[in-house]
Amino acid sequence: MIVEDDGKQRPWPVVVVRWGKKVLGYVNECPHNSVRLDWEQNEFLDPYRIRLMCGKHGSTFELGSGRCVEGPCQGRALTPIALAVLEGDICVVGVHLVEDDASTIE
Ligand code: FES
């Protein structure tokens, strides 16, 4: 869950990709119809396992850039999210997550 500027919370599905030595993150939302990419839970890759793929209409996206290279949303891109690897943990940065609030509650 993400916390908006007005304090409202909403689900924020993301997909994290390990691409070579890089770790990249994208909002799990297809730019074509705003649906989640995974048609089955945790299934994000095309049959060749070289691109992310939307299960609804089959658009495929470069792992390194999130750019759609084939399908109905060709030329558009997934929304990137900022990640940092801190002591081996992958952390989302620059947003306010509900978990941030939970960590301050005893
Ligand atoms: S909704 Fe993703 S390609 Fe159409």
Side-chain angles (χ1 to χ4, degrees), residues 30-37 54-59 61 71-73:
C30 180
H32 180 223
N33 271 1
S34 301
V35 299
R36 291 174 63 119
L37 298 172
C54 175
K56 181 114 181 178
H57 303 116
S59 284
F61 305 85
C73 54

Side-chain angles (χ1 to χ4, degrees), residues 64-84:
S65 68
R67 189 172 62 93
C68 179
V69 292
E70 188 175 349
C73 54
Q74 190 168 1
R76 296 165 73 186
L78 300 173
T79 302
I81 59 172
L83 299 176

